[in-house]
Amino acid sequence: MSTKHQELVGFIWSVADLLRGDYRQSEYGKVILPFTVLRRLDCVLKETKGKVLEAKEELEAKGIQNPRNLAKAAGHTFFNKSELTYEIAVRDPDQVAKFLKEYVRDFSTNAFDILDKYDFLGQIDRLDKAGLLYQVAGKFADIDLHPDVVDNHQMGYIFEDLIRRFSEVSNETAGEHFTPREVVRLMVNLLMVPDEEALAQPGVVKRILDPACGTGGILAEAQDHILRSNRDATITVFGQELNPESYAICRSDMMIKGQSAENIELGNSFNDDQHKHRKFDYLLANPPFGVEWKKVKDDVEDEAERGYAGRFGAGLPRINDGSLLFLQHMLDKMKPVEDGGSRIAIVFNGSPLFSGPAESGESNIRRWILQNDWLEAVVALPDQLFYNTGISTYFWILSNRKESDNEGKVILFDARDYWAKMPKSLGDKRKRITDEQIAELTEAYRSALTIANQSEHPLHDKVKVFKKSHFGYRRITIERPLKLRFEVTEEAIAELEDSKPMAKFEARETLIQALRTLIGIAPVRKKVEYVGKLKDAYLKAGVGKLPAALDKAVWAAVSVADPAGEVQLDRKGSPLPDPDLRENDNIPLDKDINTYLEHEVLPLAHDAWVDHEKTKIGYEIPFTRYFYTYRIPRPLDEIDGDLKALENEIQQLLGEVTG
C-alpha cells in the first residue's frame, strides 16, 4: 500500500472522530462512504462542468430534455447539471444543508440512484440536526480526488479499504455483505486455475456474475485477477443485491473506478431475476448462510412446478435455508458447453453437503448436480474466517466443462489447517489465510485437477478423489416380524378407556367389567385362542358385537410385543412388520442390497427382510468423515497424574490465600 493511499484513507477515516457519540460505529459508513462517492464524482466532473452547463442551456432554450446530451458533454455515463460545485455547496455553514441537497438532486439518475440508496439526503438532515454537517462536509472539501491526483485503480483500492474498515468495526452486520479479502482471493484463484493459459491470450472477452454481490468485493477480485495477467482482456461484471445500501456501495465502487455500474441490479435473485436469460463465463457468490426464503415462497414454488423449464426443477431445500436455491440459480446461467461452458464457485456452510434425508429437496438437488457431473471439488476452509460466524465453511467449485482427467470425479480438498492467527480478533474472525498459504493451496489444487490418483498428490492426506456415484446411497427399510402375546392388565384397560371409540360406546362400563374378569389369567401367545376367551367374557357380561373401531381398540390394548409371541400375518399370509423394530440403513449405490442383508443383517436377525417399496435414493457428501483420523486416547494413568498435579497446585494456591 502506497504512502499516498494510506494518507488518503487515514484522512477520510478521521471523519469518524467527528461522528463518534452521535453515530454508532456500525453507522459510520452510512456517512463517510456516500460523501467519498460524492466528492469523487464532483472531482471527476470538474473539467467538463462548463460544457454540461452550456449543453443544459441549449436544451432548455429548445424546450428539450435529453440526458444523453448532458452525459456526452460530461464525457462520462453520469453528469451533474447544477451550477454549484461541491466546494461551493458546502462553503456557507448556514446554507450547507440546502445547497448540498440541491447539488445532489441535480445528478443524473444513475448517480443519484446510488446516493439515494445510501439515504444520503436523510443523512444530510441527521448531520445537520446534530450540528455536524458543516464540519463533515468541509472535511471532504479539503481532499482532492481528481483522477489526475488519484487514478481509478488507486481510488478503487481506497474505497475498498474503507468498505473493509467499516465492515470490520460493524461486526453485527459485516458478514451480510463483506467477504474477507483473502477468502475471496483464494476462491477466485481456485476457480480460474484451469483457465490461466487461456485467460492470458489476446482477445479474451468474459462475463462474470455474482447474484448475491453485497458490496462487490468478489466481482472486483475476479475482474482484477484476469486483468493482472491480461490487461487487454474485456471483462464485464454483473451483480444483483437485495440490500439497498450494499447495492449502493457496489455501484459506487465501480463508478469510482471509472467502470460501468449499469449491470449491478437491486432486487431478490429468486423472484426478481434481473439477469434473466443471460449466460456467464464465471459465476461466484457468498450467499448468506441459513437465511429463510419464506417471503418468496409462492414465487419459488410456482417456478419449481414448471420443472426444468425453470431454475428450481431439481428440488426445493428447507424453507429456512436458501443456499441451494442460489446454486440452482447460478447453474441455470451456465453457458452451453458448445459456447465455451462456465465455471462456478460458491461459499457454503456445512449444511448443503448433507442436510435432508434421501429424496428430500436437498438430496435431490445434490443428486442432480452429481449425476450431471458438474461438481468439480469441495474445499473445506478453516473455521473462524468470517466476521459474523465462527462455523466451518466450504467452497463448492462446479463446471459443465471439466477437464477430461477429472470427468466423473469429485475432489475433496481439506484446507482446514491452512491458517494464521489474527493479530486482533474482528468479531468472530480470529483466523486468516496468508498470501503464502493461498499460493500453496492454489498449487495444490492445480495438481489435484491433473492427478487422478490422490496418493500421488504432494498433499495426499489432504486431497481425496472419488467417483461421482460414490456419494449416492439407497436408504433401505429393514423390517422384523410383529410378535405378540395377549393379556388384559390394568394398563391395557386404562389405555382402552382413553381411546376415542370407547368414549362413543354406550355400554362401556359393561365392557370394562367383562375385560376385568380376564385380569390375572396367564398370557396367551396365539390370537385364535384369545379370541375365544374374549367371546366368553363378552357373553357372560352381556356384551354384544363391538363396533369395528372399538374392536380394533380392544385388540390394540391387549396386544403386547413379545419376542416369544406369535408372528402376526396379514390377509395374504405375509408377516406384519413391527414398527418398534424397524430400522433404516444407508447402502452405497454400488453395493447389492441382498448381499448386504445376507452378510450384515441376517446373522444378527435371521427373520429380517427389506421392504423394497420403501427404498429411496439419496446423495450426501459427509466431508469430515473422509478426513477423520483416529487418535489413541491418553493412558488413564497419565490423565490421573495430571489431575493429581492440578489438585496439588490448587491446594497450594488455597493455602497461600488462607494462610
Side-chain angles (χ1 to χ4, degrees):
M1 185 184 296
S2 68
T3 303
K4 180 73 173 179
H5 179 119
Q6 292 175 324
E7 289 176 356
L8 285 170
V9 171
F11 182 85
I12 296 171
W13 180 259
S14 69
V15 174
D17 294 333
L18 298 173
L19 302 176
R20 191 169 289 114
D22 293 280
Y23 280 78
R24 298 192 306 271
Q25 277 192 329
S26 60
E27 296 178 308
Y28 292 170
K30 297 177 184 292
V31 174
I32 295 177
L33 292 178
F35 263 107
T36 304
V37 173
L38 179 61
R39 183 61 175 139
R40 174 65 171 187
L41 298 184
D42 178 79
C43 291
V44 168
L45 295 173
K46 184 176 182 180
E47 293 177 353
T48 57
K49 184 75 171 179
K51 293 181 180 179
V52 172
L53 294 178
E54 289 176 8
K56 173 189 172 186
E57 188 176 339
E58 291 176 6
L59 291 171
E60 288 177 347
K62 297 177 182 179
I64 300 173
Q65 288 188 348
N66 191 337
R68 289 184 179 179
N69 283 19
L70 297 181
K72 184 178 180 181
H76 298 279
T77 57
F78 58 93
F79 60 85
N80 185 295
K81 61 184 180 181
S82 172
E83 294 186 5
L84 296 170
T85 62
Y86 180 83
E87 290 97 331
I88 295 173
V90 303
R91 185 181 297 166
D92 186 343
D94 298 322
Q95 299 290 326
V96 61
K98 175 186 175 183
F99 289 158
L100 194 54
K101 285 183 178 180
E102 289 179 7
Y103 179 63
V104 168
R105 289 192 181 103
D106 276 335
F107 270 101
S108 55
T109 302
N110 57 349
F112 178 77
D113 177 62
I114 292 173
L115 295 169
D116 186 50
K117 292 300 186 295
Y118 280 111
D119 187 28
F120 189 52
L121 297 181
Q123 295 301 332
I124 291 175
D125 288 336
R126 183 176 173 182
L127 288 166
D128 191 37
K129 187 176 180 180
L132 297 172
L133 181 59
Y134 179 69
Q135 297 177 68
V136 170
K139 273 273 193 180
F140 285 91
D142 292 338
I143 58 173
D144 187 355
L145 297 180
H146 190 278
D148 289 344
V149 178
V150 184
D151 63 31
N152 288 336
H153 193 66
Q154 188 178 18
M155 190 66 220
Y157 278 128
I158 290 171
F159 198 70
E160 287 175 20
D161 199 359
L162 290 170
I163 295 170
R164 177 186 59 79
R165 291 192 185 201
F166 291 126
S167 294
E168 289 173 356
V169 300
S170 175
N171 290 326
E172 75 259 28
T173 59
E176 295 178 6
H177 54 73
F178 190 83
T179 308
R181 176 57 55 85
E182 80 274 16
V183 176
V184 176
R185 282 190 56 206
L186 179 60
M187 178 167 64
V188 172
N189 279 15
L190 302 188
L191 179 68
M192 297 190 182
V193 157
D195 297 345
E196 287 181 348
E197 290 186 11
L199 291 173
Q201 301 301 313
V204 168
V205 178
K206 298 294 180 184
R207 289 160 40 119
I208 305 172
L209 170 70
D210 182 347
C213 63
T215 55
I218 293 177
L219 288 173
E221 177 60 29
Q223 183 176 33
D224 289 346
H225 180 92
I226 297 175
L227 293 176
R228 279 194 291 268
S229 61
N230 187 346
R231 298 303 303 176
D232 297 324
T234 301
I235 310 300
T236 309
V237 297
F238 298 76
Q240 186 160 345
E241 172 55 33
L242 179 63
N243 180 281
E245 184 177 307
S246 299
Y247 159 82
I249 294 172
C250 182
R251 284 185 65 113
S252 52
D253 180 38
M254 297 183 68
M255 189 172 284
I256 272 177
K257 295 174 182 175
Q259 301 167 354
S260 171
E262 300 305 311
N263 295 320
I264 306 300
E265 304 289 353
L266 180 66
N268 191 309
S269 291
F270 296 157
N271 70 336
D272 185 23
D273 182 8
Q274 295 291 313
H275 301 295
K276 193 176 293 185
H277 308 308
R278 285 175 171 162
K279 304 295 181 182
F280 302 91
D281 299 282
Y282 298 105
L283 302 99
L284 307 94
N286 176 20
F289 301 150
V291 174
E292 66 177 29
W293 46 279
K294 188 181 295 183
K295 291 181 181 179
V296 294
K297 179 175 180 289
D298 291 343
D299 292 324
V300 170
E301 289 180 344
D302 287 346
E303 184 167 348
E305 288 180 3
R306 292 164 46 202
Y308 293 107
R311 294 169 292 170
F312 310 122
L316 297 179
R318 294 165 298 165
I319 197 72
N320 61 357
D321 189 356
S323 298
L324 286 169
L325 290 181
F326 272 106
L327 182 52
Q328 289 185 88
H329 172 73
M330 295 166 77
L331 288 165
D332 179 69
K333 299 189 177 303
M334 290 192 298
K335 294 171 64 175
V337 178
E338 57 269 23
D339 294 336
S342 303
R343 289 181 61 76
I344 295 173
I346 188 167
V347 184
F348 280 155
N349 61 13
S351 179
L353 289 168
F354 51 77
S355 63
E359 297 189 8
S360 64
E362 292 98 332
S363 178
N364 287 340
I365 294 168
R366 289 189 292 267
R367 178 179 183 176
W368 173 64
I369 290 170
L370 286 160
Q371 288 185 340
N372 279 285
D373 197 19
W374 291 330
L375 184 60
E376 178 177 285
V378 177
V379 182
L381 302 174
D383 59 7
Q384 302 178 58
L385 277 183
F386 291 82
Y387 299 105
N388 66 344
T389 178
I391 63 174
S392 298
T393 51
Y394 301 80
F395 292 151
W396 284 35
I397 300 175
L398 306 95
S399 179
N400 61 352
R401 55 175 176 87
K402 284 185 180 181
E403 299 291 336
S404 57
D405 290 341
N406 205 35
E407 288 180 357
K409 300 172 185 175
V410 176
I411 299 167
L412 300 186
F413 188 179
D414 185 6
R416 289 175 294 178
D417 293 334
Y418 291 81
W419 58 273
K421 188 176 181 180
M422 292 280 292
K424 179 183 178 183
S425 296
L426 298 170
D428 289 309
K429 183 173 175 60
R430 297 177 177 86
K431 297 177 182 178
R432 63 188 177 93
I433 305 175
T434 66
D435 291 345
E436 293 75 18
Q437 290 167 335
I438 290 174
E440 184 179 356
L441 291 170
T442 302
E443 288 307 309
Y445 190 74
R446 188 196 315 278
S447 299
L449 288 174
T450 57
I451 297 175
N453 184 351
Q454 73 262 24
S455 65
E456 300 174 7
H457 195 279
L459 298 176
H460 65 85
D461 60 327
K462 301 294 185 183
V463 176
K464 297 186 183 297
V465 181
F466 296 96
K467 292 181 179 179
K468 62 181 184 180
S469 60
H470 176 82
F471 304 104
Y473 63 91
R474 293 184 184 89
R475 179 72 167 174
I476 65 171
T477 301
I478 299 173
E479 302 283 16
R480 299 279 302 280
L482 178 63
K483 297 179 181 180
L484 300 174
R485 72 172 188 267
F486 306 96
E487 62 180 327
V488 177
T489 62
E490 289 293 349
E491 291 79 8
I493 289 176
E495 178 185 335
L496 183 61
E497 287 179 323
D498 290 339
S499 66
K500 288 184 179 180
M502 192 64 169
K504 300 176 182 178
F505 189 55
E506 293 183 0
R508 53 182 172 273
E509 291 301 328
T510 304
L511 175 59
I512 294 298
Q513 289 176 8
L515 291 172
R516 284 191 182 279
T517 64
L518 298 177
I519 293 178
I521 295 177
V524 174
R525 288 184 167 80
K526 290 193 177 295
K527 188 173 184 178
V528 67
E529 293 181 16
Y530 212 67
V531 169
K533 290 185 180 296
L534 286 176
K535 282 185 177 180
D536 290 344
Y538 292 166
L539 184 62
K540 290 177 182 178
V543 177
K545 185 178 180 180
L546 300 180
L550 181 56
D551 185 58
K552 185 177 180 180
V554 170
W555 279 107
V558 302
S559 300
V560 181
D562 185 346
E566 179 185 43
V567 174
Q568 304 301 299
L569 306 176
D570 62 17
R571 292 180 179 179
K572 296 181 180 180
S574 300
L576 289 171
D578 186 339
D580 292 333
L581 298 179
R582 182 173 294 142
E583 293 184 1
N584 294 103
D585 281 346
N586 292 346
I587 311 301
L589 285 180
D590 58 0
K591 192 164 190 174
D592 180 71
I593 292 178
N594 292 326
T595 302
Y596 175 83
L597 183 69
E598 180 182 350
H599 293 158
E600 304 292 338
V601 179
L602 294 181
L604 303 174
H606 65 88
D607 53 0
W609 74 92
V610 173
D611 186 345
H612 292 284
E613 292 185 359
K614 295 179 180 177
T615 297
K616 296 181 178 181
I617 303 295
Y619 277 77
E620 65 178 4
I621 306 173
F623 190 100
T624 55
R625 184 190 304 168
Y626 300 117
F627 294 93
Y628 172 75
T629 301
Y630 175 74
R631 294 181 180 177
I632 300 174
R634 294 170 62 199
L636 291 177
D637 291 343
E638 184 180 323
I639 297 173
D640 191 43
D642 288 347
L643 290 173
K644 288 180 178 177
L646 285 172
E647 288 176 4
N648 292 334
E649 184 178 346
I650 292 170
Q651 290 294 337
Q652 183 179 350
L653 291 172
L654 287 173
E656 293 175 1
V657 173
T658 57

